[in-house]
């Protein structure tokens, strides 16, 4: 079908960005980036399961022949749907108990590094650089959410 | 609000705690997706830059291949360029010393730059580094003095330096710098200046592209003079005066030193030819700029006369021509949409405009006379050249002969491999059939060569890497690249290696330019992306006519519109960059109607500035834009005395040469018209820089 063709083409295009040897394989560590770039929002656990399905016998790489059908299924079934903005807002408001509309960098960092699928120090540093408003030294999450979504779409 | 009983308090506490975890999970998931999307864009941008870079290199290869052809076929045009292949061996070194003498050059009182005393000392070089940090320029007298001393020292160094590291003495290894002084200063800041306690190896490509190539050289040479046993320089493929003509070093020198530039260039040419070829650490780690081939034998390399590589009619350029072509071919990550037949067994398709494939020698030898006649006619040269050239002692008709037949050439060929080769993932070693030099080498070749020499690691440079370094071939080959932001601000990090007695490389990465460090990931990706798209739009613009012709083929009814699929296919056919045009389309073509691209309108919108000169013939204008670099290269070659000026006649000859290379007719009238539109100096000469500036592309598009 037309939709399937478009989907397959998108998957292939994304895959090839990391196919450095031009032999239809990518390093297993790039798989998450490819999945994310196709508009999906898997958790790390989801990614581990996906990789288990497609990795070549623990060789450290994935072949397009295995990747394509699994990824196609993911897209068709919308397995890792995007996060609605309201849910994201609510999530921040859970952590920002007083509902001030902003968080201090250390506050967010504490959660990101100790709860859920924790961030490494490097990831945290990068996140702070991206999200912290320099003048106020705060993370004004309300504005950020819509701004960052806009960034990616332009 | 928690209720009274302990159990219910516990429960709601637990409930809110797990809610926090769920919230954290959501935010993490969202953010990681955001970062990955940016990383994808950054990677695509990288691919764009690399494709354009390699396309430019291919262009140069074609030009030099053309020169090689001229050299081997005794056309009169050959005389215009033959001097770049000829080493003037008539003068002896003592005569050169007299020519390069700095003693008569006076340093005026008004000079505010650094003063050097010789012999060089650590303090002297540090002073030099400080001065360059303050953007001062060293006086020509001191430049020639340092270069003279360097030349004298290099002549007594061996082809391969052997160094040892021990517990108390680690070594630092740096890759390509390409005239980016900020990176060298950053390395010194983080790692310390060279000294006998802090040895360094610089692995080639110090010059070209960046603006401070000379300053980098002077600093490196300064430390070399003070610490000859602890500062090691390996020659790179850009330490070559012909390459410098195209990639900016020649222009930099002539711009900075109007009076003595020519002398400085000549001395540098000698110095480059005397740079050592490789360094070996503890007899275990080989450091060389490009790489190896299956025939690499370090014993042979150490015996070659490294400064005598060029021979009259067996131009090194033709050797490296084919090498560079191979280099570019290997980068086709995304398959070109057009189908080519591959002449090489293990590689992807060759780009159609390749001049080098296994059958070319047959092609050319069978129709040489025809080709020659046609080129002569196109170039407008006299048909009676044959008699004049009969006694040319430079003639060396070994065009079709494989260099293996000539022992001397074979050694040169290996030397060329060291500076120009690239690793490839597949096994094997693809070498050039016509000239037999330079290659892509596979992991099996790495194992064999390292094994044969009892080495454990090969460190090389030559290729830009996003993180500044990259392993391949089961971690037996390490690429180190020290020019950060090579393609654009934010495009890549630079790196250097620290290595101790255990011979385990440790990496330090960095990115010069404060602007870049302060940018968020999003901003730096955006910046680089805009730059790449600008570069792409330039490419599209210079190929306007060809693109319209290609689009028209899909539009038989002249509707002015074609489908997106056809647009992508036609664009790749013309540009041959191997890029994912369908993905890029949304960033290049702002409007589509029901999935159709209005190509006429779109081409018009690729707004580029109009040239400052009035030219009646628009096709010559397009040739001008498309062949900007080639034209400049030819100009600079013809300008034998490096004055930056050429006569009207030389201007005409340049165009004739170019039109012969492009196999297109450019009428005398068109050339004369062009010449008349230029500002002539009083003596009837044309300033090359001014002329090239008038045709520099500037993208005026609104998205800027």
């Amino acid at each position: 079908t037309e939709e399937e063709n478009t989907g397959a083409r998108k998957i292939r295009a994304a895959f090839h960005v990391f196919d450095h040897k031009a032999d239809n394989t990518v390093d297993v560590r790039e798989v998450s980036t490819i999945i994310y770039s196709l508009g999906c929002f898997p958790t790390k656990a989801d990614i581990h399961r996906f990789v288990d399905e497609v990795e070549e016998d623990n060789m450290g790489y994935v072949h397009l022949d295995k990747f394509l059908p699994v990824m196609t299924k993911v897209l068709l079934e919308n397995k890792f749907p995007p996060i609605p903005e309201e849910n994201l807002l609510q999530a921040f408001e859970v952590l920002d108990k007083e509902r001030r509309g902003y968080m201090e960098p250390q506050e967010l960092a504490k959660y990101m590094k100790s709860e859920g699928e924790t961030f490494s120090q490097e990831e945290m540093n990068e996140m702070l650089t991206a999200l912290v408003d320099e003048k106020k030294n705060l993370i004004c999450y309300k504005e950020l959410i819509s701004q960052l979504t806009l960034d990616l779409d332009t | 609000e928690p209720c009274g009983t302990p159990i219910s308090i516990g429960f709601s506490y637990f409930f809110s705690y797990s809610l926090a975890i769920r919230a954290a999970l959501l935010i993490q998931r969202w953010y990681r997706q955001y970062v990955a999307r940016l990383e994808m864009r950054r990677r695509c941008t990288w691919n764009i830059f690399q494709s354009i870079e390699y396309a430019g290199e291919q262009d140069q290869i074609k030009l030099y291949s053309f020169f090689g052809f001229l050299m081997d076929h005794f056309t009169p045009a050959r005389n215009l360029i033959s001097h770049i292949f000829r080493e003037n061996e008539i003068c002896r070194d003592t005569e050169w010393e007299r020519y390069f003498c700095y003693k008569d050059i006076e340093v005026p009182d008004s000079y505010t730059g650094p003063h050097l005393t010789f012999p060089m000392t650590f303090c002297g070089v540090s002073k030099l580094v400080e001065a360059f940090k303050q953007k001062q320029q060293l006086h020509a007298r001191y430049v020639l003095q340092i270069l003279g001393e360097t030349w004298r020292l290099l002549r007594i160094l061996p082809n391969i330096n052997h160094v040892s590291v021990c517990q108390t003495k680690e070594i630092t290894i740096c890759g390509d710098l390409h005239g980016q002084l900020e990176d060298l200063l950053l390395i010194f800041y983080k790692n310390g200046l060279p000294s006998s306690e802090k040895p360094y190896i610089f692995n080639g490509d110090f010059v070209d592209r960046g603006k401070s190539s000379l300053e980098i050289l002077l600093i490196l040479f300064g430390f070399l003079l003070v610490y000859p046993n602890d500062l090691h320089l390996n020659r790179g493929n850009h330490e070559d005066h012909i390459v410098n003509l195209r990639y900016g070093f020649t222009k930099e020198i002539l711009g900075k030193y109007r009076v003595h530039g020519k002398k400085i260039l000549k001395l540098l040419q000698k110095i480059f030819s005397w740079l050592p070829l490789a360094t070996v650490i503890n007899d275990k780690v080989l450091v060389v700029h490009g790489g190896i081939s299956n025939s690499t034998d370090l014993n042979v390399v150490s015996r070659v006369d490294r400064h005598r590589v060029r021979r009259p009619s067996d131009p090194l350029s033709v050797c490296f021509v084919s090498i560079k072509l191979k280099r570019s071919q290997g980068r086709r990550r995304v398959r070109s949409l057009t189908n080519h037949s591959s002449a090489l067994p293990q590689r992807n398709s060759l780009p159609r405009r390749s001049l080098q494939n296994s059958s070319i020698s047959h092609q050319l030898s069978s129709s040489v006379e025809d080709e020659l006649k046609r080129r002569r006619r196109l170039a407008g040269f006299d048909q009676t050249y044959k008699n004049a050239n009969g006694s040319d002692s430079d003639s060396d008709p070994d065009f079709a002969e494989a260099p293996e037949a000539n022992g001397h050439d074979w050694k040169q060929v290996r030397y060329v491999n060291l500076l120009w080769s690239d690793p490839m993932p597949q096994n094997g070693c693809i070498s050039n059939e016509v000239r037999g030099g330079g290659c892509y080498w596979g992991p099996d070749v790495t194992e064999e060569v390292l094994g044969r020499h009892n080495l454990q690691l090969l460190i090389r440079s030559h290729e830009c890497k996003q993180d500044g370094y990259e392993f391949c071939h089961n971690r037996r080959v390490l690429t180190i690249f020290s020019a950060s932001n090579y393609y654009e601000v934010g495009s890549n990090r630079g790196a250097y290696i620290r290595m101790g007695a255990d011979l385990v490389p440790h990496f330090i990465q960095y990115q010069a330019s404060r602007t870049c460090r302060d940018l968020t990931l999003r901003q730096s990706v955006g910046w680089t992306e805009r730059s790449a798209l600008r570069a792409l739009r330039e490419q599209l613009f210079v190929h306007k006519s060809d693109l319209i012709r290609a689009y028209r083929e899909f539009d038989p009814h002249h509707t002015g519109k074609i489908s997106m699929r056809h647009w992508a296919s036609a664009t790749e056919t013309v540009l041959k960059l191997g890029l994912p045009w369908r993905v890029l389309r949304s960033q290049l073509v702002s409007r589509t109607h029901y999935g159709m691209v209005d190509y006429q309108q779109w081409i018009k919108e690729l707004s580029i500035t109009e040239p400052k000169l009035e030219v009646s013939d628009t096709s010559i204008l397009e040739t001008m834009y498309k062949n900007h670099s080639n034209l400049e290269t030819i100009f600079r070659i013809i300008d034998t005395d490096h004055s930056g000026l050429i006569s009207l006649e030389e201007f005409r000859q340049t165009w004739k040469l170019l039109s012969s290379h492009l196999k297109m007719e450019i009428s005398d009238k068109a050339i004369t018209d062009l010449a008349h539109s230029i500002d002539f100096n009083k003596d009837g000469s044309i300033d090359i820089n001014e002329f090239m500036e008038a045709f520099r592309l500037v993208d005026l598009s609104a998205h800027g």
Side-chain angles (χ1 to χ4, degrees):
Chain A
T1 67
E2 180 62 48
E3 197 185 298
E4 273 169 13
N5 284 339
T6 319
R9 227 192 350 259
K10 276 203 199 141
I11 296 174
R12 260 188 256 266
F15 190 89
H16 280 130
V17 173
F18 293 99
D19 177 12
H20 306 302
K21 304 181 191 174
D23 64 354
N24 283 336
T25 65
V26 301
D27 189 311
V28 75
R29 290 165 294 184
E30 317 268 36
V31 169
S32 60
T33 310
I34 300 174
I35 300 176
Y36 282 130
S37 78
L38 290 165
C40 304
F41 285 74
T43 61
K44 274 203 154 181
D46 293 327
I47 293 170
H48 283 312
R49 275 193 289 270
F50 187 104
V51 166
D52 277 340
E53 240 188 287
V54 301
E55 186 181 358
E56 277 309 312
D57 295 335
N58 278 321
M59 300 277 279
Y61 66 87
V62 172
H63 198 280
L64 181 61
D65 291 343
K66 283 201 179 157
F67 184 84
L68 189 58
V70 181
M71 193 66 225
T72 306
K73 197 152 178 273
V74 162
L75 289 183
L76 283 179
E77 296 175 9
N78 200 16
K79 276 199 179 149
F80 312 128
I83 302 170
E85 271 191 36
E86 319 87 67
N87 292 28
L88 198 52
L89 191 58
Q90 274 175 21
F92 273 105
E93 285 174 347
V94 165
L95 303 182
D96 172 24
K97 296 186 215 66
E98 293 154 44
R99 292 224 184 165
R100 298 159 294 175
Y102 58 82
M103 284 181 80
E104 267 153 55
Q106 315 86 272
E107 277 182 84
L108 185 62
K110 188 186 70 182
Y111 281 110
M112 296 293 99
K113 283 168 62 182
S114 58
E115 310 290 3
E117 289 176 336
T118 58
F119 274 7
S120 66
Q121 185 59 51
E122 207 184 313
E123 275 181 296
M124 199 61 236
N125 291 342
E126 209 167 64
M127 188 190 207
L128 291 179
T129 319
L131 302 186
V132 172
D133 178 323
E134 276 190 0
K135 288 192 214 115
K136 305 180 196 164
N137 198 31
L138 294 171
I139 298 170
C140 308
Y141 55 83
K142 268 195 172 154
E143 298 133 37
L144 275 176
I145 291 172
S146 34
Q147 190 188 319
L148 260 47
T149 321
L150 205 65
D151 274 346
L152 288 177
D153 291 338
T154 50
Chain B
E1 240 187 293
C3 296
T5 63
I7 294 175
S8 54
I9 290 174
F11 183 76
S12 66
Y13 175 73
F14 176 75
F15 183 71
S16 64
Y17 181 63
S18 82
L19 205 62
I21 296 179
R22 293 213 328 259
L25 273 169
L26 199 83
I27 295 171
Q28 286 156 347
R29 189 154 56 100
W30 162 75
Y31 185 72
R32 281 178 170 133
Q33 202 264 8
Y34 172 73
V35 167
R37 295 268 299 270
L38 284 181
E39 173 58 24
M40 181 57 107
R41 274 168 61 182
R42 195 214 324 239
R43 191 62 69 101
C44 289
T45 305
W46 179 271
N47 290 353
I48 293 176
F49 276 125
Q50 247 187 351
S51 304
I52 294 181
E53 179 185 23
Y54 292 129
E57 287 181 349
Q58 265 218 335
D59 230 25
Q60 186 189 14
I61 293 167
K62 278 167 48 184
L63 186 65
Y64 289 144
S65 171
F66 171 62
F67 287 162
F69 181 86
L70 288 182
M71 290 302 296
D72 292 318
H73 290 91
F74 322 120
T75 62
R78 187 176 179 252
N79 294 332
L80 284 172
I81 55 163
S82 59
H83 62 277
I84 61 172
F85 299 124
R86 211 176 321 144
E87 263 301 311
N88 196 340
E89 301 295 341
I90 302 169
C91 288
R92 298 217 305 263
D93 281 346
T94 43
E95 285 160 0
W96 280 119
E97 297 245 0
R98 231 174 292 136
Y99 172 66
F100 294 134
C101 189
Y102 60 89
K103 297 203 174 111
D104 293 331
I105 304 177
E106 296 245 339
V107 180
D109 291 328
S110 53
Y111 171 69
T112 52
H115 292 270
L116 299 180
T117 54
F118 287 79
M120 283 292 273
T121 60
F122 179 75
C123 288
V125 191
S126 315
K127 218 171 50 177
L128 196 59
V129 176
E130 266 319 297
F132 288 152
K133 232 188 255 183
Q134 311 297 328
K135 307 219 191 304
Q136 292 171 5
Q137 183 169 307
L138 187 65
H139 195 273
R141 177 199 173 96
Y142 298 127
V143 173
L144 285 167
Q145 211 170 343
I146 290 192
L147 295 183
E149 292 297 313
T150 305
W151 182 36
R152 247 164 257 124
L153 172 58
L154 288 176
R155 274 181 284 174
I156 60 176
L157 291 181
N159 294 348
I160 303 181
N161 287 313
H162 288 267
V163 311
S164 30
V165 291
C166 58
Q167 217 118 30
T168 50
K169 193 162 158 174
E170 288 197 344
I171 196 163
T172 308
I173 304 160
C174 301
D176 294 30
L177 287 167
H178 281 301
Q180 298 186 187
L181 183 60
E182 325 80 61
D183 286 305
L184 182 60
L185 294 176
L186 192 51
I187 295 172
F188 285 161
Y189 175 74
K190 291 168 91 74
N191 198 52
L193 294 174
S195 69
S196 31
E197 284 77 47
K198 194 155 290 195
Y200 273 81
I201 299 175
F202 287 91
N203 201 17
D205 277 11
F206 321 120
V207 304
D208 276 332
R209 293 206 168 98
K211 293 180 299 162
S212 310
S213 299
L214 181 64
E215 282 71 29
I216 289 188
L217 280 185
L218 293 173
I219 292 175
L220 296 183
F221 293 161
F223 280 113
L224 176 69
L225 291 172
V226 180
Y227 300 110
N229 295 318
D230 297 296
L231 187 102
H232 308 280
L233 301 175
N234 289 341
R235 187 175 183 183
N237 59 301
H238 276 262
E239 275 71 60
D240 176 327
H241 69 288
I242 297 188
V243 176
N244 297 151
L245 283 170
R246 185 186 184 100
Y247 286 106
F249 185 43
T250 307
K251 188 171 173 184
E252 178 187 323
I253 300 283
L254 295 176
K256 287 177 176 170
Y257 295 94
R258 294 191 180 278
V259 178
H260 297 103
K262 182 183 163 201
K263 214 177 264 197
I264 293 174
L265 281 173
K266 195 70 202 169
L267 185 43
L268 280 166
Q269 192 179 328
K270 300 220 160 272
I271 287 176
F272 286 164
S273 72
W274 273 106
L275 284 170
L277 302 174
T279 304
V280 178
I281 306 173
N282 286 16
D283 290 326
K284 283 286 168 205
V285 178
L286 173 62
V287 186
V288 71
H289 177 74
I292 54 177
S293 77
N294 53 3
S295 59
T296 297
D297 182 334
L298 295 181
N299 292 319
V300 173
V301 171
S302 55
R303 293 197 301 264
V304 158
D305 269 341
R306 70 180 188 270
H307 69 293
R308 270 184 200 291
V309 179
R310 295 273 165 78
R311 282 181 69 232
S313 268
D314 180 18
L316 182 66
S317 59
V318 180
C319 275
F320 81 63
V321 156
S322 27
I323 296 150
K324 286 292 270 182
L325 186 66
K326 294 296 167 293
R327 211 163 110 64
S328 311
Q329 287 163 13
R331 286 307 162 277
R332 296 293 188 251
R333 257 185 228 88
V334 178
R335 295 263 175 117
S336 165
L337 292 177
T338 38
N339 232 338
H340 313 290
S341 59
S342 174
L344 305 168
Q346 287 153 301
R347 229 52 195 114
N348 297 329
S349 344
L350 290 171
R352 213 189 296 151
R353 64 186 182 191
S354 153
L355 286 178
Q356 300 291 346
N357 56 50
S358 57
S359 60
I360 194 171
S361 45
H362 308 304
Q363 269 177 27
L364 284 169
S365 46
S366 63
S367 59
V368 153
E369 258 310 299
D370 299 347
E371 184 67 24
L372 199 55
K373 281 195 191 122
R374 202 168 63 79
R375 283 181 187 254
R376 255 185 272 141
R377 187 170 35 83
L378 277 177
F381 289 121
D382 194 336
Q383 300 261 348
T384 61
Y385 76 95
K386 252 190 206 162
N387 306 326
N389 266 350
S391 58
D392 191 341
S393 59
D394 276 352
S395 62
D396 195 339
D398 66 353
F399 176 75
E401 232 178 278
E404 278 84 22
N406 185 331
H408 189 75
D409 289 325
W410 199 26
K411 288 177 202 159
Q412 291 170 43
V413 154
R414 283 170 163 165
Y415 144 81
V416 162
N417 285 337
L418 295 174
L419 267 48
W420 290 88
S421 299
D422 286 315
M424 65 174 178
Q426 298 88 336
N427 278 338
C429 189
I430 302 175
S431 57
N432 178 298
E433 277 92 355
V434 178
R435 281 285 164 179
C439 67
Y440 280 117
W441 86 91
D444 55 338
V445 176
T446 297
E447 285 311 307
E448 195 274 311
V449 171
L450 289 186
R452 195 167 10 103
H453 293 94
N454 212 4
L455 298 164
Q456 68 190 44
L457 175 66
L458 166 60
I459 298 179
R460 41 90 65 175
S461 302
H462 201 38
E463 288 179 287
C464 182
K465 296 294 176 191
Q466 192 156 344
D467 292 313
Y469 72 94
E470 191 175 276
F471 278 106
C472 68
H473 293 190
N474 301 321
R475 295 179 78 89
R476 298 273 264 168
V477 174
L478 170 58
T479 302
I480 184 75
F481 195 86
S482 302
S484 66
N485 306 322
Y486 181 61
Y487 289 124
E488 177 55 82
V489 172
S491 68
N492 65 291
R493 290 193 277 187
Y496 60 89
I497 300 170
R498 287 282 302 214
M499 185 179 272
D502 58 359
L503 301 182
V504 172
H506 298 275
F507 305 98
I508 296 90
Q509 299 159 298
Y510 53 85
Q511 213 155 8
S513 153
R514 195 179 308 132
T515 338
C516 163
R517 270 199 301 278
D518 288 347
L519 291 177
T520 63
L521 178 60
R522 168 173 58 88
Q523 286 168 327
S524 88
V525 168
W527 189 320
T528 323
E529 207 168 52
R530 276 191 291 277
S531 184
L533 290 173
R534 234 192 327 265
L536 255 190
R537 273 197 291 269
E538 273 179 23
Q539 289 297 305
L540 291 165
F541 174 76
V542 300
H543 288 95
K544 248 191 336 195
S545 306
D546 291 335
L547 283 171
I548 294 205
R549 213 171 302 131
Y551 296 147
R552 287 220 173 105
E553 284 185 31
F554 286 111
D555 181 19
H557 303 294
H558 306 298
T559 61
K561 299 189 178 50
I562 52 174
S563 72
M564 291 197 274
R565 188 161 57 91
H566 289 156
W567 175 86
S569 169
T571 306
E572 176 58 24
T573 310
V574 173
L575 291 194
K576 297 192 182 68
L577 290 175
L579 291 173
W581 295 104
R582 297 203 65 169
V583 177
L584 291 167
R585 198 251 338 135
S586 56
Q587 291 167 302
L588 292 170
V589 183
S590 47
R591 279 169 290 133
T592 56
H593 300 279
Y594 302 106
M596 302 290 277
V597 175
D598 183 339
Y599 59 87
Q600 301 273 23
Q601 182 61 27
W602 173 66
I603 293 265
K604 250 193 245 156
E605 284 171 1
L606 285 175
S607 48
I608 306 284
T609 193
E610 291 307 312
K612 296 164 194 160
L613 308 177
E614 293 284 306
V615 179
S616 52
D617 187 340
T618 49
S619 70
I620 206 178
L621 203 62
E622 195 163 306
T623 307
M624 192 53 244
Y625 283 125
K626 237 197 272 193
N627 295 279
H628 204 259
S629 296
N630 282 342
L631 201 57
E632 182 165 0
T633 307
I634 298 176
F635 274 150
R636 294 202 184 280
I637 289 177
I638 285 182
D639 174 26
T640 47
D641 62 356
H642 293 305
S643 60
L645 305 168
I646 53 172
S647 67
L648 175 56
E649 186 48 40
E650 287 170 328
F651 182 80
R652 242 198 277 278
Q653 297 291 17
T654 304
W655 276 98
K656 285 197 170 147
L657 211 57
L658 183 66
S659 62
S660 176
H661 166 51
L662 299 175
K663 297 184 193 164
M664 55 189 284
E665 310 258 1
I666 296 181
S667 68
D668 270 347
K669 181 174 186 314
I671 298 178
T672 314
D673 276 350
L674 188 59
H676 282 153
S677 65
I678 300 164
D679 230 349
F680 277 84
N681 294 342
K682 285 202 198 69
D683 59 357
S685 62
I686 300 161
D687 186 313
I688 299 176
N689 279 335
E690 268 179 33
F691 182 75
M692 298 311 302
E693 259 317 290
F695 286 93
R696 198 167 56 89
L697 288 172
V698 173
D699 185 2
L700 293 180
S701 80
H703 321 294

